[in-house]
Amino acid sequence: MARTWTRLHEHLGRSPGKIVYEMVEQAVGNLLEESDDLDWKEELPAFIPVRGKWNEFAKDVAAMANTRGGLLIYGVSDSIELVGVDLSTVNEKQMLDTLRNGIQPYISEVDIIPLPNPAGGGPDVLVVDVAPSRTAPHFQYGWEQKDKDRVTFNAPYRVGRDTVWMPEHLVARAYRDRFARQAAADSELQQHLAYASEVCLGADPKAAWLVVASRLQQPLPPTLPRLTPEEVRNTLQRAAGISSGWRRLPTRSMPSFLDGLDGVTPRVGLRRWVVSNMLTTADRRNRRPMLVELHDDGTLVYATNLSWDALQRIRGEVHVQLPVHIPATAAAARDAVALAAAFRQALRDDSAADVTATVRSDRPDPYTAIAPDDFSETIPEYARRPPRFLPASLTLPRADNPGDLCSMAEELAGGVIHQFGIEHWI
């Protein structure tokens, strides 16, 4: 999904929104000069069908990502005249493959936007929108023939209208900035996990809780309006539908727990919406206790009780203090990933998201796995009893591909369940 605030929006005084042909036309008419986040290109990028060959398009994209993001607009000459390009010759797959093969690490936040003249007959333009990267510095590599064949590996960046190479001290600073961003993001996720765990354990300290936090890698525009209560309810319903669609072996897998929030009123929290069936007397239901927080900055918190009604399911194992229901864990992880996908849709954003899940309890007893065996609930003899859980983390990709997201849900569940020594659980 393309960014909603760019150099064109700023120059034209536009509100955040998608880039349209008229904006390019007006900027050209105003003779808007190139800058570190705007590069006019007269011709479409050229590609040589040789893997590893140096490519200017990869250099231009890496330079934008290494600076602060920006626009490459094809069909505008160096003298800032709208000359147009032939959009029928644009090969988006080839362009993205060039980035994948020629830049390290890979830049995912790139959108290719064809803009035909609404009046027809041209001139048409092509916009490549590059978001500022959280994984900078990005290095372009490839070989070129100059005197002798040589292989280069450099980090380009923008200085005004020019593209130059990062000296060593700027590369070092870019790495320090990347590690600092990652540390800050990890710290923020841990704070959300700690707070949600405190809330859940205050409601039932004897239970084992799965607590999941998801945070967008790219910040949302500050002008983005917060969701309405109706949009929050629609997000939960959409997530329940996504999660239920991922069910496998229906006789053994559990339906989405999010249906347990039907009829619960979203309540305003501190820069967030809170939906729970356990925090207030008015919202309590005779269903599995859950907590959902949809934060204004795109952060998601989800927690559910993995021990709810589990002791009654165990046959002859009344001494167990901390049961963790394996099918419930898988269903809860599925719900968490579905919520992250539905929340991004509600925000009209498709940034990649960092997700961390953990299991928390106040009791000192070891956790015990309860798994289905011939459709009855038993404690597997081969299961370990871990005293605590290591967090399970992953990154949700930008695109909401159902198959990829389903695999992510299974990976998140497996990160918890495998700590019991249980391999086959779907």
Side-chain angles (χ1 to χ4, degrees):
M1 181 179 294
R3 295 176 302 151
T4 59
W5 179 257
T6 66
R7 169 66 65 183
L8 297 187
H9 292 83
E10 179 182 1
H11 171 71
L12 298 173
R14 296 289 189 97
S15 300
K18 66 180 182 179
I19 298 174
V20 296
Y21 184 89
E22 177 194 5
M23 296 172 63
V24 177
E25 194 175 39
Q26 289 184 13
V28 170
N30 295 342
L31 299 179
L32 176 62
E33 295 285 344
E34 291 183 333
S35 59
D36 62 347
D37 59 351
L38 176 64
D39 194 358
W40 300 120
K41 299 284 187 181
E42 183 168 347
E43 298 179 351
L44 291 171
F47 300 97
I48 300 177
V50 178
R51 183 179 291 273
K53 179 70 175 179
W54 181 267
N55 186 268
E56 287 293 310
F57 176 64
K59 183 193 74 172
D60 293 334
V61 171
M64 289 291 185
N66 281 337
T67 311
R68 56 169 177 157
L71 301 174
L72 304 170
I73 301 182
Y74 296 88
V76 180
S77 68
D78 289 339
S79 57
I80 317 181
E81 296 180 6
L82 195 57
V83 296
V85 294
D86 184 0
L87 293 180
S88 66
T89 64
V90 174
N91 188 331
E92 182 173 337
K93 181 179 183 301
Q94 184 180 47
M95 297 172 75
L96 296 178
D97 285 345
T98 298
L99 302 182
R100 187 174 293 106
N101 296 327
I103 297 176
Q104 187 64 241
Y106 174 62
I107 301 172
S108 61
E109 304 279 340
V110 177
D111 292 279
I112 300 173
I113 310 168
L115 294 179
N117 189 329
D124 304 330
V125 297
L126 180 74
V127 176
V128 177
D129 184 14
V130 184
S133 176
R134 293 173 55 88
T135 56
H138 296 274
F139 290 81
Q140 185 199 7
Y141 59 91
W143 64 269
E144 60 179 346
Q145 189 171 14
K146 191 173 183 180
D147 298 332
K148 295 181 179 180
D149 286 349
R150 65 179 182 177
V151 177
T152 60
F153 189 71
N154 296 290
Y157 76 113
R158 299 278 293 180
V159 177
R161 59 179 297 169
D162 298 319
T163 297
V164 296
W165 306 110
M166 282 188 179
E168 182 183 19
H169 73 279
L170 288 186
V171 171
R173 188 176 73 180
Y175 274 119
R176 287 196 300 270
D177 291 344
R178 183 210 287 187
F179 298 149
R181 286 192 298 269
Q182 291 174 341
D186 291 342
S187 175
E188 188 169 329
L189 274 182
Q190 292 304 319
Q191 291 177 15
H192 286 302
L193 289 171
Y195 176 75
S197 299
E198 182 179 348
V199 171
C200 294
L201 294 176
D204 189 350
K206 297 181 180 180
W209 292 83
L210 180 72
V211 186
V212 183
S214 170
R215 185 177 185 273
L216 297 176
Q217 290 186 348
Q218 295 293 343
L220 294 173
T223 55
L224 189 71
R226 76 179 318 187
L227 299 182
T228 65
E230 184 62 26
E231 288 173 327
V232 172
R233 285 189 285 266
N234 291 340
T235 299
L236 295 176
Q237 292 173 2
R238 189 180 306 115
I242 294 173
S243 180
S244 296
W246 291 340
R247 292 181 63 188
R248 297 186 178 183
L249 300 176
T251 55
R252 295 195 178 204
S253 63
M254 304 182 73
S256 172
F257 298 148
L258 295 173
D259 291 336
L261 297 178
D262 285 346
V264 177
T265 302
R267 302 187 184 280
V268 176
L270 179 60
R271 295 187 293 275
R272 71 194 74 179
W273 287 104
V274 180
V275 188
S276 176
N277 58 4
M278 65 180 185
L279 296 181
T280 67
T281 302
D283 292 332
R284 285 175 186 163
R285 304 286 191 274
N286 186 26
R287 297 181 181 179
R288 185 179 300 273
M290 279 182 296
L291 169 70
V292 174
E293 294 183 353
L294 303 179
H295 293 242
D296 294 350
D297 66 356
T299 299
L300 164 74
V301 174
Y302 169 80
T304 191
N305 188 325
L306 300 178
S307 304
W308 184 75
D309 201 30
L311 287 173
Q312 287 75 16
R313 297 173 178 266
I314 305 173
R315 299 178 179 179
E317 293 286 347
V318 295
H319 62 281
V320 176
Q321 298 298 318
L322 281 175
V324 175
H325 197 234
I326 298 304
T329 304
R334 193 182 64 215
D335 281 349
V337 173
L339 265 171
F343 191 25
R344 286 192 302 193
Q345 291 177 14
L347 296 172
R348 297 173 179 83
D349 186 89
D350 69 344
S351 300
D354 297 318
V355 182
T356 298
T358 188
V359 178
R360 298 281 175 85
S361 176
D362 266 350
R363 297 188 63 87
D365 310 80
Y367 296 89
T368 299
I370 305 173
D373 182 14
D374 295 330
F375 306 103
S376 63
E377 306 296 340
T378 63
I379 300 176
E381 295 181 356
Y382 56 83
R384 296 195 300 265
R385 297 192 178 190
R388 65 184 180 88
F389 280 86
L390 298 175
S393 299
L394 53 80
T395 298
L396 292 184
R398 296 180 67 215
D400 288 336
N401 180 282
D404 291 343
L405 291 176
C406 182
S407 297
M408 293 292 100
E410 293 175 7
E411 180 180 340
L412 190 65
V416 175
I417 296 171
H418 291 167
Q419 296 184 53
F420 284 110
I422 297 175
E423 181 178 1
H424 303 290
W425 46 269
I426 296 179

